[in-house]
Amino acid sequence: MLENLTITQTHDGLVKKEFSCLELAKAFLDKIEKLDKKIFAFLTLTPDLALSQSKAVDDLISQGREIPILAGIPLAVKDIIMVDGVRCTAASKVLENYIAPYDATVIKKLKSQGAVFLGKTNLDEFAMGASTENSAFGITRNPHDLSRVPGGSSGGSAAAVAAGFSVYALGSDTGGSIRQPASFCGIVGLKPTYGAVSRYGLIAMASSLDQIGPITRTAADARIVFEAISGKDEKDSTSVESKIKDLGFKIKDLRIGVPEEYFIKGMDPDVEKSVKNAIKKLEDAGAKIVDVSLPNNTENALAAYYIIMPSEVSANLARYDGMKYGYSAVGNQQSAISNLSDVYLQSRGQGFGKEVRRRIMLGTYVLSAGYYEAYYLQAQKVRTKIIDDFSKAFQAADVIVTPTAPTPAFKLGEKSKKSLDMYLADIFVTAVNLAGLPALSLPCGKTANGLPIGLQFIGKQFEERKILELGEFFEKL
Ligand code: GLN
């Protein structure tokens, strides 16, 4: 099965001429064509782009040239990252017909390696959600169980990798959107340190939290993709070059912190068992397990996140005004348009989905005079406390381990009626974004009814390589 290989295995197969890039791309496109009707991972396919990129790499191989590790390897891209000339919707009616006018920096970097772009994947509208049920174009289903959600907001990307529709994918993570769907779909997801990867060409949700990262089958694959897309970019002033390269990983020297706050009442017993079992395995392999405390992490982080994130959302999404680009309302007899204000109100009212409107209203409210101090300022103080808690914990531990989510993938429709229930799905993932840290989610077992469970490794800033090496080590165990 060509479609279930890792990046390294696919690269080897290409170099040894066991199959050509063109064959590979066609195998994936055929599979998507046949099976994506049930899953709906993709919003847009780019077969012309994929085939021309494959041909170019096949030419290099037939000339006997050495190829970069990602050359000829098919990937899927979350439809909130721009690929020049390809529709980019952010799963919103507002951008339904928007054609990206340039490549995001991550795309440019992957193109320079000869990567093969299969298409753009479904997501919660503007990346707001934890189930991919908030897309304006339809829901994505979990390949492990079609009656369940794939997680979100990068649910299309995670489902694409889990279903064998692409070797790897790109997602974005503002409050868990790479890690939580990776955990629900039984694959690997890396949220890099804030600033490690350029955000240029990523449609903004909450700019102080957003990061692009890889969704892959293995930790080794995540490392390859991370290395290809990271680094300073002059087009994103918050991006930096990490000076930390390899840290000389030795399991016996590693102190792994376990925060008690992450084993909460009401979490799924299979998840708890599986994560504790994983920690035991690491201990048996020689790691030192230490108790750490992150007192502001779980509930306070979630509360702060749901103040700070909507505040930034309300500012970032002000640009969709029905004038500059995107959906513009045309008046009719029921709702006539007679002035500029009508254009704004109707375009935004009709273009944005419910969850997006809810967050814009919430953000506008908490930023308004009189409420700013009570909510936004307070949330920023909590954010500082969370950063402090992590700094303290990282004095005692090199890496922190937690579950990625309190439950496995839930049923479609189970949480979409009550936003608070849905927000609680993010309880273990948002603190990492507020503190700007890197974190990796990888599979650590299954529930009694066969649903994947995810384990999260949180690292110090710019220590992606340490959590990735630990991930590779854990996979071998
Ligand atoms: N589930 C979170 C939210 O709804 C995560 C979003 C994200 O990381 N893009 O905000």
Side-chain angles (χ1 to χ4, degrees):
M1 283 290 273
L2 282 188
E3 308 94 64
N4 290 317
L5 304 176
T6 65
I7 291 176
T8 320
Q9 289 166 338
T10 313
H11 175 77
D12 286 349
L14 286 173
V15 172
K16 290 188 189 134
K17 300 192 180 157
E18 285 161 15
F19 44 83
S20 71
C21 286
L22 210 52
E23 275 166 3
L24 190 66
K26 281 187 181 151
F28 278 105
L29 290 166
D30 283 351
K31 187 167 180 183
I32 297 167
E33 181 80 26
K34 259 194 235 124
L35 301 177
D36 198 36
K37 284 178 200 79
K38 279 197 289 195
I39 292 175
F40 197 52
F42 284 90
L43 289 176
T44 304
L45 289 175
T46 51
D48 294 346
L49 187 60
L51 298 178
S52 69
Q53 286 162 327
S54 307
K55 269 199 211 108
V57 177
D58 277 338
D59 286 348
L60 288 179
I61 295 174
S62 65
Q63 289 160 20
R65 302 260 288 276
E66 220 176 281
I67 54 165
I69 180 88
L70 291 174
I73 315 268
L75 79 143
V77 177
K78 185 177 184 179
D79 202 23
I80 196 163
I81 302 171
M82 301 215 275
V83 179
D84 191 13
V86 176
R87 186 170 81 122
C88 191
T89 67
S92 179
K93 196 175 158 189
V94 166
L95 293 177
E96 188 168 7
N97 301 310
Y98 181 70
I99 305 294
Y102 59 87
D103 278 328
T105 297
V106 291
I107 300 299
K108 216 177 189 176
K109 287 186 174 222
L110 292 175
K111 279 188 178 168
S112 76
Q113 284 220 13
V116 170
F117 294 87
L118 296 170
K120 307 293 297 290
T121 56
N122 199 15
L123 63 149
D124 288 297
E125 185 176 0
F126 286 103
M128 299 179 205
S131 67
T132 317
E133 291 167 297
N134 293 339
S135 164
F137 306 117
I139 56 168
T140 298
R141 290 168 191 270
N142 190 317
H144 291 272
D145 177 346
L146 296 178
S147 70
R148 292 178 188 267
V149 303
S153 63
S154 312
S157 283
V161 176
F165 293 162
S166 70
V167 183
Y168 69 102
L170 292 182
S172 67
D173 192 314
T174 304
S177 280
I178 289 176
R179 291 160 287 152
Q180 184 256 21
S183 131
F184 281 14
C185 290
I187 49 175
V188 174
L190 174 72
K191 182 259 169 210
T193 306
Y194 185 75
V197 176
S198 169
R199 290 179 292 112
Y200 182 70
L202 167 69
I203 294 177
M205 176 182 166
S207 310
S208 79
L209 304 161
D210 298 341
Q211 268 294 289
I212 297 172
I215 294 176
T216 56
R217 300 215 161 91
T218 63
D221 278 3
R223 183 189 170 103
I224 293 169
V225 180
F226 172 69
E227 266 158 21
I229 61 174
S230 58
K232 166 132 191 86
D233 174 17
E234 60 176 29
K235 295 203 169 81
D236 172 1
S237 61
T238 60
S239 68
V240 284
E241 193 68 52
S242 167
K243 292 193 184 66
I244 304 171
K245 294 291 176 208
D246 283 297
L247 295 148
F249 176 84
K250 277 203 205 92
I251 192 73
K252 294 219 152 45
D253 296 338
L254 204 69
R255 298 167 306 164
I256 299 180
V258 182
E260 53 170 344
E261 293 85 357
Y262 277 73
F263 293 88
I264 52 170
K265 255 208 297 209
M267 75 188 282
D268 184 280
D270 284 347
V271 172
E272 180 166 1
K273 209 167 84 197
S274 188
V275 170
K276 288 198 165 149
N277 195 18
I279 297 171
K280 179 82 181 40
K281 271 193 198 159
L282 288 165
E283 185 170 28
D284 291 346
K288 199 162 158 218
I289 306 297
V290 292
D291 289 331
V292 294
S293 178
L294 295 166
N296 287 292
N297 249 28
T298 39
E299 263 136 280
N300 290 353
L302 200 62
Y305 172 78
Y306 275 97
I307 297 288
I308 293 168
M309 173 274 296
S311 304
E312 296 185 21
V313 159
S314 74
N316 273 328
L317 272 65
R319 72 191 68 175
Y320 307 104
D321 59 3
M323 299 298 288
K324 292 195 275 293
Y325 43 70
Y327 180 80
S328 192
V330 266
N332 54 31
Q333 266 162 354
Q334 284 84 41
S335 52
I337 289 187
S338 52
N339 55 37
L340 186 60
S341 175
D342 288 345
V343 178
Y344 293 160
L345 293 176
Q346 289 191 33
S347 300
R348 290 167 67 79
Q350 293 162 18
F352 289 134
K354 228 180 170 165
E355 183 60 26
V356 173
R357 277 181 280 144
R358 179 182 294 123
R359 294 191 192 200
I360 292 173
M361 284 192 277
L362 195 62
T364 310
Y365 175 80
V366 300
L367 287 178
S368 58
Y371 294 106
Y372 174 91
E373 279 85 6
Y375 297 109
Y376 184 75
L377 204 65
Q378 200 66 13
Q380 291 291 15
K381 287 181 185 164
V382 173
R383 187 175 193 173
T384 303
K385 282 202 174 298
I386 290 163
I387 296 170
D388 291 346
D389 287 350
F390 271 118
S391 307
K392 265 189 222 130
F394 279 126
Q395 282 165 15
D398 305 300
V399 172
I400 291 169
V401 61
T402 77
T404 307
T407 66
F410 42 87
K411 290 264 186 195
L412 290 161
E414 189 182 320
K415 296 187 197 281
S416 49
K417 308 230 162 44
K418 266 176 72 189
S419 347
L420 268 184
D421 284 355
M422 188 69 85
Y423 295 173
L424 278 169
D426 304 329
I427 189 144
F428 297 152
V429 278
T430 58
V432 160
N433 299 73
L434 290 167
L437 301 172
L440 178 74
S441 176
L442 74 175
C444 69
K446 288 201 166 158
T447 61
N449 53 355
L451 297 171
I453 298 170
L455 184 71
Q456 175 172 239
F457 292 135
I458 306 172
K460 292 181 198 165
Q461 280 196 344
F462 298 105
E463 293 198 357
E464 286 64 14
R465 285 164 186 85
K466 187 174 269 171
I467 53 175
L468 287 165
E469 276 187 87
L470 178 60
E472 284 183 57
F473 182 85
F474 179 72
E475 285 169 347
K476 285 191 200 115
L477 290 180

